[in-house]
Amino acid sequence: MSFLGVSEKYFTKYCSNGRICFWSYAALVEPVASRDLYVFDCSLFNYARDEYKDYPELRVLLSFKTNTHLNNIWFTSQLGYAKLPEVTSCNSSDIEACLSNSLKTLESLIEEASRQVKFFSKREALRFILPRPPDYATARGRYHGLLIRKSILSEIASNMGFSNGVLNSRVKTIYVLYSVDYSKWDFTALICDKQTKLNAHKKIIDKNKLLSVLKEFSR
């Protein structure tokens, strides 16, 4: 397995003084139609907070676009840092299936939410006599929230080269070095001579779940 290289200048800043570095299993995704390079999560989703565990697009939310290109990367060794276990095949077929199933599941949830909204809308004729039940506002909020989530997922999937159920991208399974600040719970991905701050990870990753695994490695 390949470990993405990291510039020496980052180790002191991101892997000490209240920060810990660890390797996470992922895939480099390079769409054939562009030189953009993405990291697709294949491990961190396993440490998501309970409120996010059922999100069909969870792995996509933990994926990100890098600010480098494939011809600018190099590889290294594990360098003594903890390595999260491999929990998926993390190849092209796995990523393609993940994107396809995520979109299909969201579409199904949207259809269900739409039926609920229509059910409550049937009482529209009585709106001047009876107040709308609280469930009506909840159903509408959930419906529009799901539409936004599907729109975001569709855009990300398209940018990664996913079209008509097929991932038109080059995929390489690798390990990426992440830095996390203990106190602020800020995540940064360290890729060669670039670093990427990861805002979604701070919200999604459960601190106790991840740290318990990393502490096992340090024993």
Side-chain angles (χ1 to χ4, degrees):
M1 184 62 61
S2 300
F3 294 85
L4 274 184
V6 179
S7 176
E8 289 286 341
K9 64 183 178 181
Y10 290 140
F11 291 118
T12 301
K13 180 178 181 180
Y14 288 102
C15 301
S16 61
N17 299 322
R19 291 176 176 265
I20 185 172
C21 284
F22 64 92
W23 297 101
S24 185
Y25 190 49
L28 291 177
V29 178
E30 184 188 44
V32 296
S34 73
R35 295 182 65 239
D36 293 334
L37 190 63
Y38 295 85
V39 169
F40 196 90
D41 178 59
C42 298
S43 185
L44 279 172
F45 71 94
N46 209 37
Y47 309 96
R49 292 174 177 167
D50 291 341
E51 58 264 37
Y52 290 100
K53 291 294 287 186
D54 293 330
Y55 273 48
E57 74 274 33
L58 176 58
R59 288 176 65 186
V60 182
L61 294 176
L62 293 171
S63 303
F64 59 93
K65 180 182 177 181
T66 72
N67 49 5
T68 190
H69 301 292
L70 197 59
N71 59 348
N72 294 330
I73 66 171
W74 68 87
F75 300 96
T76 186
S77 61
Q78 188 172 346
L79 301 173
Y81 294 110
K83 182 181 71 171
L84 295 182
E86 303 172 9
V87 293
T88 69
S89 56
C90 202
N91 55 25
S92 180
S93 297
D94 169 58
I95 296 171
E96 185 176 274
C98 177
L99 293 172
S100 178
N101 292 336
S102 297
L103 285 166
K104 289 178 181 177
T105 302
L106 277 177
E107 288 170 358
S108 177
L109 292 173
I110 288 171
E111 290 178 5
E112 178 186 345
S114 176
R115 287 194 294 269
Q116 290 179 338
V117 171
K118 290 177 181 178
F119 170 78
F120 290 117
S121 295
K122 289 179 180 179
R123 304 180 185 182
E124 184 71 20
L126 302 175
R127 67 186 186 279
F128 297 114
I129 304 173
L130 299 173
R132 281 176 173 164
D135 288 344
Y136 178 79
T138 301
R140 280 185 59 85
R142 182 169 185 269
Y143 173 68
H144 289 291
L146 287 168
L147 287 177
I148 292 172
R149 284 168 56 185
K150 180 176 181 289
S151 175
I152 293 172
L153 174 60
S154 297
E155 182 178 357
I156 295 174
S158 177
N159 290 340
M160 287 187 177
F162 184 78
S163 177
N164 298 318
V166 178
L167 182 66
N168 299 300
S169 304
R170 290 174 282 271
V171 175
K172 179 176 177 57
T173 306
I174 44 82
Y175 273 95
V176 176
L177 191 66
Y178 287 80
S179 166
V180 59
D181 186 306
Y182 272 123
S183 59
K184 298 179 181 178
W185 203 235
D186 289 335
F187 284 75
T188 305
L190 308 175
I191 301 176
C192 298
D193 60 349
K194 304 290 184 181
Q195 78 274 4
T196 303
K197 187 173 181 179
L198 307 169
N199 295 322
H201 292 59
K202 181 174 184 175
K203 300 176 182 178
I204 296 174
I205 301 300
D206 185 287
K207 190 172 187 176
N208 293 329
K209 289 180 182 178
L210 180 59
L211 292 184
S212 65
V213 174
L214 297 180
K215 286 178 181 177
E216 285 294 326
F217 179 86
S218 62
R219 289 181 179 177

